[in-house]
Amino acid sequence: MAIEMTSTAPIIRSLPWGKGAVVAVLAVASLIGPYVLDPYLVNVLIRSFFYASVALTVDLLWGYTGILTFGQSTFFGIGAYAAALVFTHVGFDPGMVWLALVGGVAVAVAVAGLVGWLAFYYGASPLYIAVVTLVLPIVATQLVLSGGTFTGSSSGLVGFTVIDLGIEAWFSIAAGGLLVLTVATWIFVNSEMGRLLVAIRDNEQRCQYLGISSSRVKTYLMMATAAVAAMAGFGYANFTMVVAPEMTGFVFGTELVIWVALGGRGTLIGPVVGTILLDVVSAYLSGSMPFVWKLAIGSVFVGVILFLPNGLVPMVGNFIRGGLRRVGMWWPEAVAVADITPMAHGIEGAQAYTDAPALDISHLEKRFGSLTVLEDINLVTRPGELVSLVGPNGAGKTTLIRCLSDGFERTSGSVIINGNTLDRQPPYDCVAFGVGRKFQAANVFDSLTVAECLRLARNRHEPLSAIRRSRVLNLPEPAVRVIRTTGLDKIMGTEARHLSHGMKQALELSMVLALEPSILMLDEPTAGLTKAERHLIGDILVDLAKHDAFCILLVEHDLDFVRQISTRVVVLHHGRIVLDGSVADVVGSELVQQVYAGSGKFGERK
Amino acid sequence: MTDAAKAPALSVRGVSGGYGAAIVVKNVDLTVPEGRIVAVLGKNGMGKTTLLKMIMGFLPLHQGEVHLFGKRINGEPPYLIARRNIAFCPQEQPLFQDLTVGENLRLGLFDDDAFEAKLEKVGVHFPFLPDRLRQRAGTLSGGEQKMLIVARSLMASPRIMLIDEITEGLQPSVIERLAHVLAEQRRAEGTAILLIEQHVTFALAIADEYAVLNQGEFVDRGPANAADAAERINRHLSI
Amino acid sequence: MQVLILDIVTTAAILFAVSCGLLISFGVLKIINFAHGAFLTIGGYSALVVTQMGWDPLLAYPFSLLVGLVLGAAVERFIVKPLYDRPLDAILATWGLGIVISQVITIVFGRGVQFVQSPVTGAVELFDGSYSVYRLAATGGAVIIGGLLALLMHRTRLGLNARAVIMNENLAQALGINSSSVRLIAFGLGAGLASLAGAIITPLSSVDPNMGVPWLVNAFMLVLVAGSSLLALLIGSVVLGGLQLVISTYGSPILGGLTIAVAAALLLRIRPKGFVLD
């Protein structure tokens, strides 16, 4: 069956005329600026523009993606030293300019890849990531210092031949470059990939369970930002004809973070305006009162982190917008709402009835230190089965789900998912094998709209674009059913944080269904839901198992619910499967009554 | 103004709440008179533990009030509530696994001076404890850990205890011992107990009253010695 | 060889003294105090004040401890406490605080290098050579600090409460422990110890407004590989400090300067628990 694909709109075409006009004015300003401004200010501004370019990369990493980095200075320094070293030791000609630029960017990208490998492994803590980005500039500075006459050690390199351009040209290059970078970043952060960055910041775990390797995304992002920072460094070295070890260092790295924080992380205008303003003011004040100026910056920085975590520029922006709105000169942009296109279901073929096991678990065991949580679990489930996992608290139900959806979790034993042997593999590989997992607490992306959440869930079927945002969602039929019956389709433009508890649960379920899994793992999907919502979820699950041949694994406390919908019940007790049978087997079982409700005489020992 | 002397040990009035926007406990009333044992039964996920967390101040109340010995306590931080002659035995992570048995017991008291005397008292109930003060709590068997939890909460001679599913996963002999200890504590010191349980027999054996929680609301309650109590509870608990 | 071993011991001891304050505050608050370097600086200048006032040089130690304690407690209440839920922001805010502190010191004392009178000086004949008495004395000081800290954590009620908060803050609260005041005390103590360490290192390191910064990174890395365990910090100080010394001696001093940071980052990549034993 054909899937309807409608056009997607490039973001650039939707650039509002107001923003376009601003860009045009700034472009003109970058050309005429040096002729009308004070020469000292022009000099300072050129430096500020280069710094602002690097600050934008810090903002992408930290403000948008949540990676606190002290190391962007190193990539800036690599670009600068590439120019200085090549022009000093090899010589200067146009070919060498390209060699230095390409070489500097290549080294920066390679280093960024190494940093990514070190810092972004599956399970790394945010603190560890910050540590690696802290070690990077320290190592870089020490290497420069130990380079003797080659790197100029602590005094740096000066007096090398550089690209011979007038100050006006440098101003236009730096300003134009910053402008292009800002527009490009604006397009990127508003694209589907840009929303993915925010999703990683909000909830990296959910990204993993949507089949996204967030480690890879973060590493690529780091490499791209390293390239940009290296280019800025290259330009800066050519402009100033000086490089010094401080350029690569940790203090400059923290300074970048301070500019971004003061300007406003997670916005584009904030870091750019913040960096330029602070650097220019600092150029004028730090000569006359260096210590007081640094003291003021430090104090304001602490205050902003404490009281204005979104920074100063957004606050000023809101103030101006508020004023304009009061006099009727400003109105918010309409939120673009996506249309839903249901796809014919059953097209993947994998959902056809087969008797091959969906899950084949043998001798699975999970220990925490000396504590054994799961012991000798053997279980085979097939498509079309709705298997409920029940048992008292602490029986190991959620742990079992975790071991089946993340290859690093179990201590020993084998898991075969749809014929694929699960090795020590992260959750996104389990998703590729056909696993869709819904968590107990609703696990969605708070800052994203309903439509954006669903779009990200489609990433494996329709790659995310770095320059566009799709206006149409192609979703498999079961997901559409959940969306339509719960009314999510009427609030596609609402941010997930504003949804009710039940709606969040429904959204997460439809995100999981949008993955087109063949095995569905659900951890207490009805917890905290109303009776009507419970019924709805139950009907949908029965339908998915019966008609779409899903294999469903359900962890559930509500035994009435279990009885109504299951085709099979597995009872866990103390980490072991004590009963595996039909609903009738379990309901009539004396053993279950005992493990579950603790009835019977407690004096009797069986 | 309630007369503090006659006020119940614990009084929960019209309490609703849960996690974030999810309402798990709905307009619940519950009274534990001084010196009485009240058992709250219900299946998993019905709001029992949530109710305890709200009483102890770990979760905010959306509505209602909680009074302890006539004094309103909701809104107070958990550590201040914990100092009001109340002992809480949580179900999740109830012990410091990496501290020793002795240190865990010490943490049941607010000052160390009375430790020896109290240890002697608790040692009567659980004779293995005084010999194993230096052992890491995490290395005790499951049953011994449960006994340590109860022992710790007895250290401070509380006037009321909140006990969350202490029998879960225990051997019948240990359950019997705990039943004996709790009944004895109530008899000797007049300690009121709020028992959260799924083990019907255990609960009815020591409780004066029972109440059944279903979907965050009490659906049945009555005296524990009623002839049909077990049958009525099992109707709500059974699969 | 004996001298190398002696160097390793004294280096490890000084590293331990410099890091243990950070360990205490990180263990209890789970927040990295990036103003730790600034508190070391405060300790150095506290010792300087003692010298300038003409007091007994030995007074520098209690005085620096007290100054650190008081300032640290104030910082916890006004800067760190609002950021409990934002640990990365707490790193930034304390770093900003470090900038503020070093600028205030610059404005008050000037930016030049200062000299502090040391209570012990000179060298002692040891292993066919002479060895700095002050390094030996500092080692003794570190041993005393470590011993007192271990006693405090394992033999007092306050230490027990602190360990309870480290392991399970909710349960600690359920047992009537005011974790907020435990945090206040831990952070204050951590800052006090940093300040004391700053006074101890003054004869070994010059006193200037940024004297603490070079120590900050090493202390930070050592604490990350030590978690909240004093024993692991001791092991880390000996192993990584020893490695640093060996590489500085037989390799290059610059590579030696990187050893702790790089080795700790790699160790954490392979073994996220670092030197913490099971």
Side-chain angles (χ1 to χ4, degrees):
Chain A
M1 286 268 251
I3 301 162
E4 189 186 334
M5 283 294 287
T6 27
S7 64
T8 55
I11 285 163
I12 191 76
R13 237 183 277 152
S14 64
L15 192 69
W17 69 268
K19 288 200 171 93
V22 171
V23 170
V25 168
L26 289 176
V28 172
S30 71
L31 291 174
I32 60 167
Y35 300 99
V36 296
L37 297 172
D38 166 61
Y40 178 69
L41 180 61
V42 170
N43 255 300
V44 172
L45 275 175
I46 294 171
R47 179 181 75 182
S48 308
F49 293 152
F50 284 123
Y51 285 175
S53 307
V54 192
L56 262 185
T57 70
V58 172
D59 184 40
L60 262 183
L61 287 165
W62 177 43
Y64 283 89
T65 322
I67 307 164
L68 178 58
T69 173
F70 300 108
Q72 280 311 94
S73 52
T74 299
F75 303 122
F76 182 82
I78 288 174
Y81 269 90
L85 289 172
V86 169
F87 300 157
T88 304
H89 298 296
V90 187
F92 181 87
D93 66 50
M96 287 302 154
V97 171
W98 287 110
L99 176 75
L101 178 61
V102 173
V105 169
V107 171
V109 169
V111 171
L114 186 69
V115 168
W117 171 79
L118 195 60
F120 301 143
Y121 67 93
Y122 176 64
S125 75
L127 196 57
Y128 180 70
I129 293 169
V131 166
V132 173
T133 69
L134 177 67
V135 172
L136 172 70
I138 291 168
V139 171
T141 311
Q142 290 298 324
L143 288 180
V144 171
L145 288 176
S146 65
T149 50
F150 183 67
T151 59
S153 194
S154 60
S155 45
L157 292 169
V158 286
F160 43 87
T161 318
V162 293
I163 307 168
D164 185 23
L165 290 172
I167 189 168
E168 295 83 4
W170 276 118
F171 186 92
S172 301
I173 288 173
L178 177 60
L179 190 61
V180 170
L181 179 67
T182 310
V183 172
T185 312
W186 186 80
I187 292 172
F188 178 64
V189 298
N190 283 291
S191 74
E192 291 162 357
M193 286 294 262
R195 303 318 287 166
L196 172 59
L197 301 188
V198 176
I200 289 175
R201 185 189 68 194
D202 272 5
N203 191 340
E204 187 160 356
Q205 183 191 44
R206 183 72 264 178
C207 287
Q208 301 266 1
Y209 282 92
L210 290 180
I212 296 163
S213 167
S214 55
S215 310
R216 205 172 302 151
V217 173
K218 293 199 285 191
T219 304
Y220 289 158
L221 181 69
M222 187 113 207
M223 290 161 82
T225 59
V228 171
M231 283 191 256
F234 179 86
Y236 185 65
N238 272 289
F239 165 63
T240 58
M241 293 185 272
V242 179
V243 292
E246 289 76 31
M247 280 180 178
T248 63
F250 155 66
V251 174
F252 181 42
T254 55
E255 225 167 335
L256 288 164
V257 173
I258 292 176
W259 292 331
V260 172
L262 291 182
R265 65 177 104 160
T267 69
L268 297 180
I269 185 100
V272 171
V273 172
T275 304
I276 294 173
L277 271 181
L278 287 168
D279 192 46
V280 168
V281 176
S282 142
Y284 282 92
L285 292 185
S286 64
S288 53
M289 39 174 167
F291 309 129
V292 176
W293 169 246
K294 273 190 88 176
L295 176 63
I297 288 287
S299 315
V300 174
F301 177 58
V302 175
V304 164
I305 293 285
L306 277 173
F307 304 113
L308 284 172
N310 293 326
L312 294 170
V313 175
M315 187 190 68
V316 173
N318 285 341
F319 183 74
I320 294 173
R321 263 199 296 270
L324 289 179
R325 192 180 297 148
R326 233 166 287 132
V327 295
M329 284 180 63
W330 191 88
W331 49 94
E333 289 171 50
V335 179
V337 176
D339 297 322
I340 306 169
T341 310
M343 306 177 337
H345 69 290
I347 49 166
E348 298 292 315
Q351 311 280 33
Y353 276 103
T354 66
D355 212 31
L359 279 170
D360 186 343
I361 308 158
S362 47
H363 306 299
L364 185 143
E365 191 170 297
K366 170 72 180 176
R367 285 191 303 267
F368 291 107
S370 59
L371 187 69
T372 303
V373 186
L374 290 173
E375 206 176 344
D376 198 30
I377 300 288
N378 296 287
L379 186 66
V380 176
T381 67
R382 296 178 198 282
E385 281 192 306
L386 204 166
V387 184
S388 288
L389 292 174
V390 302
N393 278 341
K397 304 180 297 283
T398 301
T399 309
L400 179 57
I401 295 284
R402 211 180 288 139
C403 289
L404 301 179
S405 54
D406 179 347
F408 291 101
E409 282 288 334
R410 68 188 188 280
T411 311
S412 61
S414 87
V415 175
I416 300 171
I417 304 171
N418 287 328
N420 305 285
T421 303
L422 178 63
D423 218 334
R424 295 287 172 210
Q425 285 165 298
Y428 52 81
D429 284 334
C430 296
V431 175
F433 296 158
V435 172
R437 176 177 172 196
K438 197 203 153 303
F439 290 82
Q440 184 173 2
N443 202 327
V444 295
F445 303 115
D446 279 346
S447 314
L448 267 53
T449 65
V450 171
E452 288 167 348
C453 287
L454 289 165
R455 177 64 189 91
L456 288 192
R458 293 295 296 160
N459 75 88
R460 291 183 58 252
H461 299 272
E462 295 163 48
L464 302 175
S465 163
I467 52 168
R468 296 159 191 272
R469 199 188 305 187
S470 173
R471 297 269 175 244
V472 172
L473 273 171
N474 297 302
L475 294 173
E477 200 275 334
V480 174
R481 209 183 317 154
V482 175
I483 291 168
R484 293 248 158 91
T485 43
T486 54
L488 272 174
D489 55 341
K490 298 186 186 66
I491 48 170
M492 296 297 275
T494 306
E495 280 184 22
R497 74 171 91 237
H498 301 306
L499 298 185
S500 72
H501 176 70
M503 281 303 212
K504 275 188 190 170
Q505 296 279 24
L507 173 58
E508 194 193 0
L509 181 60
S510 34
M511 284 161 72
V512 172
L513 290 172
L515 293 170
E516 298 179 34
S518 59
I519 303 170
L520 204 52
M521 300 183 185
L522 306 148
D523 201 343
E524 294 193 41
T526 65
L529 296 190
T530 65
K531 212 160 242 170
E533 288 169 329
R534 241 195 300 273
H535 267 296
L536 186 69
I537 300 271
D539 289 346
I540 289 167
L541 295 183
V542 168
D543 210 39
L544 287 173
K546 227 180 241 168
H547 297 116
D548 303 285
F550 275 64
C551 170
I552 301 179
L553 232 58
L554 178 73
V555 170
E556 187 52 66
H557 273 143
D558 184 347
L559 295 179
D560 298 328
F561 186 67
V562 165
R563 189 166 47 185
Q564 282 157 17
I565 69 169
S566 311
T567 63
R568 181 175 164 194
V569 181
V570 171
V571 183
L572 279 171
H573 190 46
H574 288 184
R576 288 175 164 275
I577 294 181
V578 292
L579 197 85
D580 179 353
S582 68
V583 172
D585 293 342
V586 172
V587 169
S589 160
E590 178 72 16
L591 175 70
V592 171
Q593 293 293 339
Q594 283 201 355
V595 301
Y596 221 85
S599 56
K601 284 237 164 59
F602 60 84
E604 293 170 358
R605 186 86 213 262
K606 274 181 52 119
Chain B
M1 187 69 202
T2 330
D3 183 1
K6 286 180 191 156
L10 174 73
S11 151
V12 172
R13 299 175 200 163
V15 160
S16 300
Y19 303 88
I23 300 288
V24 182
V25 171
K26 297 157 197 158
N27 195 21
V28 158
D29 290 300
L30 180 70
T31 303
V32 182
E34 290 243 45
R36 306 274 283 177
I37 301 183
V38 175
V40 170
L41 298 115
K43 287 181 285 188
N44 283 326
M46 294 302 155
K48 305 189 300 293
T49 298
T50 309
L51 178 61
L52 282 194
K53 286 184 181 169
M54 286 161 62
I55 294 172
M56 286 304 294
F58 284 108
L59 288 174
L61 270 55
H62 289 216
Q63 271 170 21
E65 292 187 359
V66 179
H67 291 247
L68 206 59
F69 307 110
K71 172 100 174 65
R72 188 181 142 161
I73 57 163
N74 49 296
E76 282 188 9
Y79 83 92
L80 281 184
I81 296 174
R83 291 178 183 185
R84 295 184 172 280
N85 283 316
I86 188 169
F88 176 40
C89 304
Q91 187 189 16
E92 291 157 8
Q93 298 185 309
L95 285 176
F96 297 100
Q97 301 273 328
D98 290 330
L99 294 182
T100 64
V101 170
E103 288 169 331
N104 269 288
L105 288 174
R106 228 170 258 279
L107 284 165
L109 287 170
F110 302 117
D111 64 281
D112 287 349
D113 297 340
F115 183 71
E116 298 299 331
K118 297 287 185 184
L119 180 66
E120 202 174 316
K121 192 193 89 179
V122 170
V124 173
H125 292 311
F126 304 108
F128 74 100
L129 284 174
D131 301 332
R132 294 161 75 175
L133 292 179
R134 302 181 70 84
Q135 189 177 342
R136 255 185 52 202
T139 61
L140 294 177
S141 75
E144 288 166 342
Q145 294 197 14
K146 296 287 179 129
M147 289 188 262
L148 175 56
I149 298 164
V150 173
R152 182 186 60 202
S153 58
L154 293 180
M155 289 295 280
S157 299
R159 287 171 67 196
I160 181 168
M161 300 170 77
L162 310 184
I163 304 178
D164 195 359
E165 301 211 12
I166 193 75
T167 58
E168 204 277 301
L170 283 187
Q171 287 178 18
S173 60
V174 179
I175 296 177
E176 205 162 8
R177 170 111 71 108
L178 289 176
H180 172 74
V181 169
L182 294 178
E184 180 60 23
Q185 173 70 19
R186 185 263 291 267
R187 193 194 59 76
E189 298 186 18
T191 306
I193 301 177
L194 175 59
L195 210 55
I196 300 290
E197 266 305 332
Q198 293 201 46
H199 197 303
V200 181
T201 324
F202 167 76
L204 291 182
I206 63 169
D208 303 302
E209 292 165 44
Y210 76 89
V212 180
L213 201 58
N214 190 23
Q215 306 287 0
E217 291 168 281
F218 282 117
V219 290
D220 189 15
R221 52 175 101 206
N225 57 9
D228 61 344
E231 190 196 323
R232 292 172 64 149
I233 295 169
N234 275 325
R235 208 178 305 144
H236 290 289
L237 286 181
S238 62
I239 191 162
Chain C
M1 190 61 203
Q2 285 108 329
V3 172
L4 182 69
I5 290 171
L6 199 56
D7 273 340
I8 288 176
V9 170
T10 54
T11 303
I14 290 163
L15 281 171
F16 180 89
V18 165
S19 320
C20 63
L22 192 61
L23 180 104
I24 298 290
S25 55
F26 179 63
V28 175
L29 285 85
K30 307 286 183 293
I31 276 173
I32 286 280
N33 175 15
F34 248 43
H36 186 72
F39 280 105
L40 287 168
T41 311
I42 287 175
Y45 279 85
S46 302
L48 177 69
V49 167
V50 169
T51 298
Q52 287 180 343
M53 303 297 280
W55 296 341
D56 186 328
L58 276 176
L59 267 181
Y61 306 118
F63 181 65
S64 59
L65 179 66
L66 185 69
V67 171
L69 266 174
V70 172
L71 289 178
V75 168
E76 201 279 340
R77 264 307 96 116
F78 296 112
I79 294 180
V80 176
K81 196 176 181 193
L83 298 176
Y84 282 168
D85 300 332
R86 296 190 269 149
L88 289 182
D89 279 6
I91 292 184
L92 294 176
T94 49
W95 173 254
L97 175 72
I99 295 175
V100 171
I101 291 173
S102 79
Q103 295 315 308
V104 169
I105 287 177
T106 308
I107 291 166
V108 175
F109 292 93
R111 65 187 306 190
V113 175
Q114 313 262 359
F115 293 95
V116 172
Q117 198 191 341
S118 155
V120 287
T121 49
V124 63
E125 291 296 317
L126 211 63
F127 305 127
D128 313 324
S130 64
Y131 204 84
S132 153
V133 176
Y134 193 80
R135 280 187 79 91
L136 293 175
T139 305
V143 170
I144 292 171
I145 291 173
L148 286 177
L149 261 186
L151 281 180
L152 176 71
M153 291 303 277
H154 293 276
R155 286 282 177 273
T156 68
R157 181 65 201 213
L158 178 64
L160 180 58
N161 286 357
R163 282 184 296 145
V165 171
I166 289 172
M167 290 171 192
N168 185 343
E169 189 161 348
N170 275 339
L171 181 56
Q173 288 178 342
L175 295 173
I177 295 172
N178 182 354
S179 59
S180 159
S181 76
V182 170
R183 282 164 173 259
L184 175 72
I185 294 168
F187 195 89
L189 182 63
L193 287 170
S195 178
L196 174 60
I200 289 176
I201 60 176
T202 44
L204 308 171
S205 139
S206 62
V207 176
D208 66 74
N210 291 311
M211 66 177 270
V213 176
W215 295 92
L216 170 67
V217 174
N218 281 347
F220 176 47
M221 300 309 285
L222 282 169
V223 166
L224 285 179
V225 295
S228 58
S229 155
L230 282 167
L231 179 65
L233 181 65
L234 183 64
I235 299 172
S237 302
V238 172
V239 173
L240 296 184
L243 199 61
Q244 173 192 35
L245 208 64
V246 168
I247 290 178
S248 304
T249 312
Y250 299 107
S252 88
I254 290 194
L255 285 181
L258 293 176
T259 306
I260 292 180
V262 174
L266 291 176
L267 175 69
L268 289 169
R269 174 69 165 89
I270 301 161
R271 190 182 146 89
K273 282 196 301 189
F275 286 112
V276 179
L277 311 170
D278 284 314

